[in-house]
């Protein structure tokens, strides 16, 4: 049973004790001497026997073994939620748990195994939570869904932080979580949901929940319920999809005279995007340009400061590309749909930008907060009249649709047809969810 507060899985030793008692009785039936039990010693295979003990002692040892395993998992949760996976060592986990290094390998083969165990536990807990939504009365499912998803991130920020890194490092976990959300949305709609329904119903809410938990962004439950049930652009005319998709894309301006600083940033962006932050060092960046390492420090005080500048650059490039190509003669709804379309197109032109932002979420969270705050500020200036709807909730809901659609485009080798998704989103943003079948 997953226990969010402790973030561990408990081991019940009772079946083990019953099995040992069975072995004792079997020896008696065979006429064999049976004067002892054997001490439990944890191992990857299960338990090893090495000295005489009573059944009560066996139970005590089993509980002790379970406690050690639980301590290691709890320590790993604390460390992985504060640092990123690559920099946490097995020795550090053992120190945090108060056990010797050798004990770790009696329970886990590697650091990755304990990391994945935590990811599996989070998936199970969210799956159980969403199953409860499906079991709610039909009229309560939307409200229950909003509360469950929004509150989970706030109540368990350590687990959500770890899982968000897991989504980046092992994309199958994001796909499995998306599957859980699609099942939940299917239960709300009363029919099979697909990617467009997931994006319209769950992705914006997921993003709002994370922004509230980690960035302190305000969130309004009632506004989210209004969005899902009735849409945002309720008085908008039917979108003109021929104009939305009829875009002659103009690239961002390129300077023909790039100085050393610009060349370093360009090289760093490419290498961080290809290899990742931890796997790229300053020598790699300067070496790719045939520069001395010292030249790096002429312009940047540290690798972290350099990475922060690249994150800021990525945000400016995305916003600049969309602004440059957006048709300002469209309605506000049409501009939103064209913006989603342009964003997905930009990710195909620049495959490095989104991996950088995703990794930065756990490497430089402050820089990522500034990245999303800048997008929110731009939305606030151009959103128009929303009536009584809570602006930060609406804005982050819309940002969340693009964010999770971007994950599908950037990390999935077979994303859904972009135009069909945008068309479906147009209906949801205008009218909300249809009544359950």
């Amino acid at each position: 049973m997953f226990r969010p507060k402790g973030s561990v899985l408990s081991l019940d030793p009772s079946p083990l004790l019953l099995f040992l008692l069975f072995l004792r009785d079997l020896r008696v039936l065979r006429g064999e001497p049976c004067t002892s039990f054997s001490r439990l010693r944890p191992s990857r295979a299960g338990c090893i026997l090495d000295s005489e003990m009573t059944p009560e002692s066996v139970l005590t040892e089993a509980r002790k073994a379970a406690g050690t395993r639980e301590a290691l998992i709890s320590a790993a949760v604390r460390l992985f939620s504060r640092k990123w996976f690559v920099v946490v060592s097995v020795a550090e986990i053992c120190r945090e748990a108060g056990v010797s290094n050798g004990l770790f390998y009696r329970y886990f083969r590697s650091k990755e195994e304990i990391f994945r165990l935590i990811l599996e536990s989070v998936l199970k807990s969210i799956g159980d939570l969403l199953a409860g939504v499906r079991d709610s009365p039909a009229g309560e499912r939307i409200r229950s869904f909003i509360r469950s998803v929004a509150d989970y991130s706030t109540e368990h920020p350590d687990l959500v932080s770890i899982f968000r890194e897991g989504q980046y490092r092992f994309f199958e976990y994001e796909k499995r979580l998306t599957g859980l959300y699609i099942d939940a949305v299917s239960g709300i709609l009363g029919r099979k949901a697909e990617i467009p329904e997931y994006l319209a119903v769950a992705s914006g809410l997921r993003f709002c929940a994370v922004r509230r938990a980690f960035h302190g962004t305000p969130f309004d439950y009632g506004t989210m319920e209004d969005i899902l049930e009735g849409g945002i652009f309720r008085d908008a005319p039917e979108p003109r999809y021929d104009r939305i998709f009829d875009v002659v894309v103009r690239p961002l301006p390129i300077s023909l005279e790039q100085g050393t600083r610009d060349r370093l940033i360009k090289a760093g962006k490419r290498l961080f995007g290809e290899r990742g932050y931890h796997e790229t060092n300053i020598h790699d960046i300067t070496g790719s340009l045939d520069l001395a390492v010292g030249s790096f420090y002429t312009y940047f005080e540290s690798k972290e400061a350099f990475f922060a500048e690249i994150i800021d650059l990525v945000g400016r490039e995305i916003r600049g590309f969309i602004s440059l190509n957006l048709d300002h003669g469209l309605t506000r709804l049409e501009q939103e749909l064209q913006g989603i379309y342009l964003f997905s197109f930009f990710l195909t032109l620049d495959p490095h930008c989104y991996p950088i932002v995703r990794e930065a979420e756990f490497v430089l969270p402050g820089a990522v907060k500034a990245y999303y705050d800048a997008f929110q500020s731009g939305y606030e200036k151009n959103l128009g009249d929303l009536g009584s709807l809570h602006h930060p909730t609406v804005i982050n809901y819309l940002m969340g649709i693009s964010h999770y659609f971007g994950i599908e485009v950037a990390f999935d080798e077979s994303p859904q047809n972009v135009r069909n998704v945008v068309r479906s989103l147009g209906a949801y943003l205008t009218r909300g969810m249809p009544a359950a079948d």
Side-chain angles (χ1 to χ4, degrees):
M1 175 67 69
F2 179 77
R3 299 185 298 174
K5 293 297 183 185
S7 309
V8 296
L9 298 174
S10 295
L11 174 65
D12 181 1
S14 300
L16 176 61
L17 178 59
L18 291 173
F19 177 67
L20 292 174
L21 290 170
F22 166 76
L23 290 180
R24 180 198 63 183
D25 294 340
L26 183 62
R27 288 183 176 182
V28 170
L29 288 173
R30 289 176 175 174
E32 299 174 2
C34 186
T35 59
S36 68
F37 280 82
S38 297
R39 182 179 304 275
L40 285 171
R41 180 158 51 86
S43 72
R44 287 295 310 163
C47 296
I48 309 172
L49 311 177
D50 65 5
S51 67
E52 296 183 356
M53 292 190 72
T54 65
E56 292 75 14
S57 299
V58 170
L59 186 59
T60 299
E61 287 294 322
R63 286 174 174 162
K64 182 179 178 182
T68 301
R69 185 174 186 272
E70 182 170 332
L72 286 166
I73 296 173
S74 295
V77 167
R78 291 192 296 272
L79 290 170
F80 288 138
S81 64
R82 295 198 302 261
K83 306 178 181 181
W84 64 98
F85 172 80
V86 175
V87 302
V88 175
S89 67
V90 169
E92 194 173 5
I93 294 172
C94 292
R95 284 196 301 273
E96 181 77 13
V99 303
S100 63
N101 292 357
L103 272 179
F104 181 92
Y105 294 102
R106 294 184 178 180
Y107 300 94
F108 308 102
R109 283 188 293 264
S110 64
K111 179 178 69 172
E112 181 178 322
E113 183 179 5
I114 196 170
F115 188 75
R116 285 180 177 268
L117 174 66
I118 297 167
L119 301 182
E120 293 290 344
S121 300
V122 174
L123 271 180
K124 184 180 186 308
S125 67
I126 294 176
D128 291 344
L129 192 70
L130 296 178
V133 171
R134 292 193 298 271
D135 294 338
S136 302
E140 294 294 322
R141 286 176 188 165
I142 292 178
R143 185 175 291 109
S144 175
F145 180 69
I146 292 170
R147 287 279 175 185
S148 298
V149 176
D151 293 350
Y152 187 88
S153 293
T154 304
E155 293 172 358
H156 312 296
D158 53 347
L159 299 177
V160 173
S161 176
I162 294 169
F163 194 84
R164 286 178 68 76
E165 181 173 3
Q167 293 168 293
Y168 168 78
R169 297 199 176 279
F170 311 109
F171 187 65
E172 68 266 25
Y173 287 99
E174 170 60 22
K175 293 181 73 68
R176 288 169 61 189
L177 182 57
T178 298
L180 291 177
Y181 278 114
I182 288 176
D183 288 345
V185 173
S186 297
I188 294 172
L189 296 175
R191 59 179 173 81
K192 176 62 178 174
E194 302 291 348
I195 288 295
E197 288 77 23
Y198 156 72
L199 291 172
V201 179
S203 67
L205 174 58
R206 286 180 67 185
F207 191 79
C208 285
V210 170
R211 285 275 282 162
R212 180 176 70 160
F214 294 98
H215 301 156
T217 304
F219 174 77
D220 183 73
Y221 294 93
T223 290
M224 182 58 66
E225 190 171 345
D226 289 343
I227 291 172
L228 297 188
E229 291 185 336
I232 297 174
F233 307 100
R234 300 170 186 178
D235 299 325
E238 187 67 22
R240 297 165 292 177
Y241 289 103
D242 55 338
R243 286 193 60 178
I244 290 172
F245 299 133
D246 185 20
V247 182
V248 179
V249 172
R250 290 174 289 175
L252 290 170
I254 300 174
S255 174
L256 297 179
E257 294 292 332
Q258 290 187 335
T260 301
R261 190 179 194 281
D262 292 334
R263 291 172 62 212
L264 285 167
I265 288 178
K266 182 177 180 180
K269 180 183 174 185
R270 176 178 60 81
L271 290 173
F272 286 142
E274 292 174 351
R275 303 180 186 178
Y277 177 83
H278 188 75
E279 289 75 16
T280 302
N281 58 47
I282 293 172
H283 184 271
D284 295 329
I285 297 166
T286 56
S288 69
L289 300 172
D290 293 326
L291 296 173
V293 171
S295 61
F296 177 92
Y297 293 101
T298 302
Y299 303 98
F300 309 100
E301 64 180 32
S302 66
K303 181 181 173 184
E304 289 79 8
F306 179 65
F307 193 44
E309 287 213 26
I310 289 176
I311 296 165
D312 178 68
L313 172 66
V314 167
R316 287 187 283 109
E317 286 180 340
I318 294 173
R319 295 192 302 274
F321 177 82
I322 293 174
S323 178
L324 180 65
N325 290 283
L326 195 67
D327 183 348
H328 294 280
L330 299 176
T331 68
R332 183 63 189 84
L333 169 62
E334 290 170 339
Q335 287 183 355
E336 188 63 36
L337 296 173
Q338 190 177 68
I340 295 171
Y341 182 59
L342 288 169
F343 177 61
S344 67
F345 186 76
F346 181 84
L347 296 182
T348 65
L349 296 177
D350 186 354
H352 299 138
C353 69
Y354 226 49
I356 287 173
V357 175
R358 292 290 288 117
E359 186 175 27
E361 288 183 8
F362 44 89
V363 175
L364 286 179
V368 172
K369 179 183 183 301
Y371 167 91
Y372 287 123
D373 284 349
F375 275 93
Q376 181 172 334
S377 177
Y379 260 101
E380 191 68 55
K381 296 174 184 176
N382 301 292
L383 198 55
D385 183 18
L386 295 176
S388 62
L389 294 177
H390 183 248
H391 281 209
T393 301
V394 173
I395 291 170
N396 282 277
Y397 168 82
L398 293 171
M399 288 168 58
I401 290 177
S402 292
H403 173 78
Y404 283 103
F405 190 34
I407 288 178
E408 293 291 323
V409 172
F411 293 94
D412 194 347
E413 295 180 356
S414 56
Q416 300 285 324
N417 181 279
V418 172
R419 293 192 179 196
N420 288 341
V421 171
V422 172
R423 286 178 184 273
S424 297
L425 287 173
Y428 285 107
L429 292 178
T430 306
R431 298 181 289 273
M433 291 189 298
D437 296 343

